Amino acid sequence: MTSGVLGPTDVDALTGLLGPDGVLVVSPHLDDALLSTTGLLVRLGRPTVVATVFTRAPEQPRPVSDWDRFSGFDDASSAAWVRTEEDRVACAVLGATALHLTGVDGAYGGGGGGLDELRAVLAGVPDGTTVLLPAGIGGHRDHVRVRDDGLRWLTGRARVGVQLYADLPYAANLWHWGAEGSERVLGDRHALRTIAMFDDPPAEAVLRWVRLTAAEWAVKRRAVWAYASQLAPLSVTARGLMSCPGPLQTEAVWRVR
């Protein structure tokens, strides 16, 4: 894997970074991708780019969002700056390249061009790339928009693999999370319709569990600890967030093509 940080004007560099069999992980916010897919990425061992869509503070001052306030910030600009630095460190743990687009978090009204930039990113990935999109579990509007737009923009790219990753830690609140035999419960499009607010899920959706080994968890633990500003509110979202064993040690992806 390579490492570094790109901005939205560096999209043309993706072909060289990803090569013929790279992985592009699309992250709505600065933590979603690695919370949800670090074990899988370690296992794959391929050149990886983590593209985060919503990374910027709103241009006009606004009251701080509840999430940023719970994280200890009193203004959105400070939160955005700290989190981009955290993401740089977390991606470096995996040797992945961070790509920061310029969308504004939905908590601040959205906008800012992140989704338009994502469309250009997806248009520019080379054939052979595997693209990981959020499944939208938890129903967060930003996650659902990224999933739906991403799937639409990848229509017709038959030589690009597409998978949906279970959004952690939200997915860990499902009672059958990671249980043996739960493929029968979660492993089809009907399950995605129920748990991910997915009106028209892909017709072919094959679930794969990724149960982290001790070595994979050690890497993921280092990456997740890099998102220090997020850990307090995330721990409320998922009880025992960093426990071992715990909710982050099982990941899941649905292969949709």
Side-chain angles (χ1 to χ4, degrees), residues 76-117:
S77 295
S78 295
W81 185 85
V82 168
R83 288 189 179 132
T84 54
E85 288 300 298
E86 290 175 343
D87 190 60
R88 177 186 61 79
V89 173
C91 287
V93 171
L94 276 71
T97 299
L99 172 59
H100 294 157
L101 307 180
T102 64
V104 175
D105 192 307
Y108 291 106
L115 287 169
D116 291 338
E117 293 160 359

Side-chain angles (χ1 to χ4, degrees), residues 87-166:
D87 190 60
R88 177 186 61 79
V89 173
C91 287
V93 171
L94 276 71
T97 299
L99 172 59
H100 294 157
L101 307 180
T102 64
V104 175
D105 192 307
Y108 291 106
L115 287 169
D116 291 338
E117 293 160 359
L118 176 62
R119 185 173 189 171
V121 168
L122 295 179
V125 296
D127 289 347
T129 301
T130 296
V131 177
L132 301 174
L133 297 167
I137 296 172
H140 192 298
R141 182 171 180 267
D142 288 346
H143 290 229
V144 171
R145 289 174 68 196
V146 167
R147 177 199 71 201
D148 290 347
D149 286 348
L151 288 173
R152 183 170 69 255
W153 293 331
L154 287 166
T155 299
R157 295 293 306 276
R159 298 182 66 184
V160 173
V162 181
Q163 300 184 28
L164 302 175
Y165 61 81

Side-chain angles (χ1 to χ4, degrees), residues 197-213:
M197 298 180 62
F198 212 151
D199 293 335
D200 187 25
E204 299 294 334
V206 180
L207 174 66
R208 173 189 176 189
W209 287 111
V210 181
R211 296 180 173 90
L212 275 63
T213 66

Side-chain angles (χ1 to χ4, degrees), residues 29 54 56-58 60 62-69 76 83 103-111 140-143 145:
H29 307 107
F54 304 105
R56 298 292 179 91
Q60 300 299 322
R62 296 187 59 169
V64 67
S65 70
D66 286 343
W67 187 268
D68 286 347
R69 180 167 56 83
R83 288 189 179 132
V104 175
D105 192 307
Y108 291 106
H140 192 298
R141 182 171 180 267
D142 288 346
H143 290 229
R145 289 174 68 196

Side-chain angles (χ1 to χ4, degrees), residues 7-94:
T9 60
D10 300 313
V11 170
D12 290 344
L14 286 176
T15 298
L17 288 169
L18 291 169
D21 64 346
V23 180
L24 174 72
V25 192
V26 181
S27 187
H29 307 107
L30 291 157
D31 70 351
D32 293 316
L34 297 194
L35 281 167
S36 304
T37 67
T38 291
L40 173 65
L41 297 175
V42 171
R43 194 167 296 185
L44 291 175
R46 301 178 191 170
T48 299
V49 173
V50 177
T52 305
V53 180
F54 304 105
T55 71
R56 298 292 179 91
E59 293 184 5
Q60 300 299 322
R62 296 187 59 169
V64 67
S65 70
D66 286 343
W67 187 268
D68 286 347
R69 180 167 56 83
F70 294 155
S71 300
F73 296 104
D74 59 4
D75 70 273
S77 295
S78 295
W81 185 85
V82 168
R83 288 189 179 132
T84 54
E85 288 300 298
E86 290 175 343
D87 190 60
R88 177 186 61 79
V89 173
C91 287
V93 171
L94 276 71

